Amino acid sequence: MTRYRPAAAPGDLAEVLRLSWTARLGGPQRLVPDGCVDVLWIAGRRLVVCAPETSGWTFELPPDTPAVGVRFRPGRAGAVLGLDARAALNRRVGLADLLGARAERLLRDRLEAAAADPAAQVGVLEDFVRRRAERAPAADPVAGAAAALLEADPAATVGAIAASAGVGERQVHRACVAAFGYGPAMLRRILRLQRFLRLARHPGAPADLAGLAHRAGFTDQSHLYREARAIGGAGPSELAGRRAVPAGEALGAGVAPMSDPYTTRARPGRESGRHDDHHRHRRALSRPRR
């Protein structure tokens, strides 16, 4: 049984965070890529950064496990956390591997001190993001333009993104890789699947998957099915929660991306990376200081 409660980010963090959340988790959970990065705390485990993903995967937790987290807007986590999105692609990274053991321990101590109040724990994470965002470099406007345009129109071309941002297509590609860990083509696929899930989960959504696929920007229902399997790890109906599935597995993309780098197993994908030995890769995962 999973009880997940999202909440809007505070006004001063609205351009950095998409939302905050609290949850009580249990059983199998599914993570589907959504272009976002989460910092999360699962009680009794390490603070973890769910880095950008290109393929869905599942994991399991004991019943009624408390968890809290914050979700960054697409492309915003790298600058705030000092995360090299490309190096961290398809990894769950311990926060200590990015910021050092002392910084992780101080934040963990504050979270444990507020264990009786999940809302207070969310506030601890929001304050952590707030303090880092104040010192972070400005967001790349090219990556921001790419995300905004593709969320609004999944058929937008790289040329259209370049024209909107006033740069060349190669610069668009470089900006997307730096911000998201992958290029605009992969971002388009992820956001298009997200668009379908939003449409399919709407209370008034029709039962016709072919019509929803067309509205979301897919060529046809077969195209939707292939992309749902490749990116989400399950068929479109299952991802949207349209039929009975094991507890927790209907959560889908952007709902509750919980993870623990020691108890999860990623689904293999073309762009998937290794998920172990994060301490050895700390330098590779962190952006160089300028």
Side-chain angles (χ1 to χ4, degrees):
M1 182 67 179
T2 295
R3 298 188 298 278
Y4 168 79
R5 296 183 179 86
D12 64 323
L13 292 176
E15 293 185 0
V16 178
L17 295 179
R18 172 161 285 177
L19 55 84
S20 304
W21 53 264
T22 62
R24 306 287 295 195
L25 306 174
Q29 310 292 319
R30 181 181 300 280
L31 170 70
V32 181
D34 61 0
C36 300
V37 168
D38 279 48
V39 174
L40 60 102
W41 165 251
I42 298 176
R45 301 167 189 265
R46 297 177 68 194
L47 277 157
V48 176
V49 178
C50 277
E53 300 279 353
T54 59
S55 59
W57 57 288
T58 60
F59 64 97
E60 192 162 349
L61 288 170
D64 207 33
T65 301
V68 297
V70 290
R71 181 166 303 142
F72 285 84
R73 291 190 177 278
R76 296 307 303 271
V80 175
L81 299 177
L83 176 72
D84 184 330
R86 186 174 187 178
L89 188 65
N90 290 314
R91 296 183 182 181
R92 268 62 67 191
V93 183
L95 192 66
D97 296 337
L98 286 177
L99 307 182
R102 182 177 182 276
E104 190 268 352
R105 185 176 63 253
L106 291 173
L107 181 56
R108 186 183 68 232
D109 289 347
R110 292 185 64 197
L111 289 165
E112 290 177 342
D117 186 355
Q121 289 184 313
V122 166
V124 168
L125 289 178
E126 291 172 345
D127 186 55
F128 161 76
V129 172
R130 183 177 291 111
R131 286 183 284 108
R132 292 196 61 87
E134 290 173 352
R135 305 190 303 269
D140 187 338
V142 178
L149 192 55
L150 288 172
E151 283 186 319
D153 178 13
T157 64
V158 177
I161 297 169
S164 174
V167 298
E169 293 186 14
R170 288 186 179 180
Q171 188 170 342
V172 170
H173 183 83
R174 288 195 298 269
C176 286
V177 170
F180 309 113
Y182 41 72
M186 188 73 229
L187 180 62
R188 175 185 294 108
R189 294 173 63 197
I190 289 170
L191 295 181
R192 182 169 54 201
L193 181 60
Q194 282 288 324
R195 186 182 182 91
F196 163 76
L197 291 174
R198 287 196 300 272
L199 291 170
R201 290 170 178 158
H202 191 277
D208 178 24
L209 283 183
L212 289 172
H214 177 74
R215 287 177 60 191
F218 292 94
T219 304
D220 52 30
Q221 191 169 345
S222 295
H223 183 202
L224 165 64
Y225 187 87
R226 291 193 303 271
E227 290 289 89
R229 283 286 179 186
I231 298 172
S237 293
E238 185 173 343
L239 293 182
R242 288 189 161 218
R243 63 182 178 83
V245 296
E249 289 203 9
L251 289 174
V255 176
M258 315 297 141
S259 68
D260 179 335
Y262 305 104
T263 62
T264 57
R265 180 172 300 170
R267 293 176 179 270
R270 291 183 182 179
E271 297 187 59
S272 63
R274 296 181 62 184
H275 297 261
D276 58 354
D277 201 5
H278 295 306
H279 288 284
R280 186 178 62 185
H281 295 287
R282 179 176 172 186
R283 288 186 179 178
L285 295 171
S286 300
R287 285 184 169 178
R289 296 182 181 274
R290 295 184 178 180

